[in-house]
Amino acid sequence: MDIVNVARSLQVGSDERALTQTLLNDTVAEAFDRITMLYNSPFIGRHSLGDGTSSHDFPIVGNSPEDGVYHIPGQFIEGGTTAQTKINISVDDPWIKALRLPYIDQVLARWDVVAKAAQECARITAERLESLAIRMALTAARTGSVANVHDGGNRVIVTNTGGRTGAFPLTSSGADAFEQRIADLATLMDQDNLPRALGDRVLITTPYMLQVLTNSNRLTNTDYTNRGSPGGVDISSRAVGFIHGFAVMPPTNFMPTTNITTDLTKYNGNFSFEASQTSVEPVALALVRSSNGASVAMPEVGGGVSSLVYSDNNRDSTLVRTRTMFGMGVWCPWLAGEIGVRHTSP
């Protein structure tokens, strides 16, 4: 008696489903989606440039030496001059992120590949601008004073050979130490008469430093509930809101930690913690919103970010591109503050 192995109609070899259709699910979009806070925010002073313009002057008005005096009617009023200066910020070269999508990938993917790619290009461009903006804001905090114009940025520096983990360990004492440095920075800004209305000051820090704050017994809001807990276990939810007048923003991974020398010169800076060195690693950036300006100014050309999608039949593909042309520089340094750690005192 012969044994016959019956194959299915679409079977190829031992694969019973070789010629059937495979469906793909597009639930998962981008794998990485970082948060940008300074990009397109009121903490950057923007100016749109006209055609044929490559830079913009941002004015800074300083002190007037005279005090207000009682005036006798009929007398001639004569005043002095005020100190003033300007910051000229030039536009950099264009920043571009582009992807080329082969025709076959678009057809076989069974979902809109182009829209996903366009979203990724825009996100990466925004992230690039965010990293430059944070660098420039830290540069503002490190800018010195100009006589009769402004007092420069504010900095609170901690010296600790153990770096940020040594200065601010994941304990209640580490949280208290970080809170005290925040209070010190707030005091420096108060002494400079900076706005302190609710929402005028923000604090941008890193995931590690936010974790340090959650170890505080006083700073976090804690809610306990038995709802939804079969075993009756208490659930604790901690959140950090306002500290010494600063609204604590979501943590960022764009805080620089190295000696950056590879980009354009004005975006360079030594943000590293190095043994036996005085360079400072930032652990928090403070910004103040003011009607008179922002710590960082940015002229931009062509309306900011622009996106383009077009078919390239010669290469049998579609090009997806996001482009922006801008420049950033320090405008009002007194509106920026930094908390940092260094190894050795200068």
Side-chain angles (χ1 to χ4, degrees):
M1 180 178 178
D2 294 332
I3 299 177
V4 179
N5 294 324
V6 180
R8 299 189 182 189
S9 58
L10 296 179
Q11 180 174 334
V12 176
S14 61
D15 188 351
E16 297 179 352
R17 301 178 178 84
L19 300 183
T20 57
Q21 189 179 55
T22 298
L23 296 180
L24 301 180
N25 190 298
D26 64 342
T27 302
V28 178
E30 291 188 77
F32 301 96
D33 187 8
R34 297 182 181 179
I35 298 175
T36 57
M37 290 171 288
L38 290 187
Y39 172 70
N40 199 26
S41 77
F43 291 94
I44 296 182
R46 292 172 178 262
H47 181 84
S48 296
L49 298 180
D51 294 341
T53 306
S54 61
S55 65
H56 182 73
D57 289 336
F58 292 85
I60 302 176
V61 178
N63 294 327
S64 178
E66 298 84 17
D67 292 330
V69 296
Y70 173 75
H71 174 65
I72 300 175
Q75 288 187 348
F76 183 77
I77 298 176
E78 183 176 359
T81 59
T82 185
Q84 53 188 298
T85 185
K86 65 179 181 180
I87 302 296
N88 182 269
I89 300 175
S90 299
V91 173
D92 305 331
D93 291 333
W95 298 90
I96 296 176
K97 172 60 181 176
L99 295 172
R100 188 174 295 279
L101 309 174
Y103 171 75
I104 188 172
D105 290 345
Q106 300 175 56
V107 174
L108 296 183
R110 296 185 57 81
W111 66 77
D112 187 359
V113 177
V114 175
K116 300 296 184 183
Q119 179 182 356
E120 180 180 1
C121 285
R123 173 184 59 79
I124 291 176
T125 304
E127 289 178 356
R128 182 59 175 170
L129 193 152
E130 178 84 351
S131 65
L132 297 178
I134 289 181
R135 249 185 268 172
M136 190 55 60
L138 288 169
T139 301
R142 298 180 178 191
T143 299
S145 62
V146 176
N148 298 320
V149 177
H150 64 76
D151 296 328
N154 289 301
R155 304 179 73 191
V156 175
I157 308 300
V158 178
T159 300
N160 192 292
T161 56
R164 60 176 180 173
T165 57
F168 308 108
L170 290 175
T171 61
S172 59
S173 60
D176 292 342
F178 188 31
E179 180 197 357
Q180 184 58 57
R181 301 292 82 75
I182 297 174
D184 293 340
L185 185 58
T187 300
L188 293 176
M189 290 185 166
D190 290 340
Q191 292 171 348
D192 283 347
N193 300 311
L194 299 185
R196 191 168 178 161
L198 191 64
D200 281 343
R201 300 183 182 183
V202 299
L203 188 74
I204 302 171
T205 187
T206 65
Y208 174 81
M209 297 308 300
L210 188 62
Q211 184 184 13
V212 171
L213 289 176
T214 59
N215 284 274
S216 172
N217 296 321
R218 299 178 297 102
L219 295 180
T220 55
N221 302 319
T222 307
D223 298 323
Y224 295 94
T225 177
N226 288 323
R227 292 177 297 177
S229 301
V233 180
D234 287 343
I235 301 175
S236 174
S237 175
R238 290 179 177 266
V240 180
F242 283 82
I243 302 178
H244 299 292
F246 293 102
V248 180
M249 304 297 288
T252 179
N253 286 317
F254 295 109
M255 197 77 73
T257 59
T258 60
N259 186 3
I260 300 174
T261 60
T262 57
D263 291 332
L264 295 176
T265 303
K266 62 181 177 180
Y267 301 115
N268 289 345
N270 193 344
F271 307 101
S272 62
F273 177 85
E274 300 176 281
S276 303
Q277 299 296 321
T278 59
S279 57
V280 175
E281 177 186 342
V283 298
L285 169 65
L287 297 175
V288 181
R289 184 181 4 235
S290 172
S291 59
N292 295 324
S295 62
V296 177
M298 185 180 79
E300 56 186 359
V301 182
V305 177
S306 63
S307 297
L308 176 67
V309 176
Y310 73 87
S311 178
D312 186 351
N313 292 325
N314 185 44
R315 295 179 177 85
D316 204 18
S317 62
T318 298
L319 180 68
V320 181
R321 185 203 69 196
T322 298
R323 176 184 63 193
T324 181
M325 195 169 185
F326 66 92
M328 279 187 286
V330 175
W331 183 13
C332 304
W334 61 93
L335 297 176
E338 175 190 10
I339 301 175
V341 182
R342 67 184 168 207
H343 186 279
T344 306
S345 297

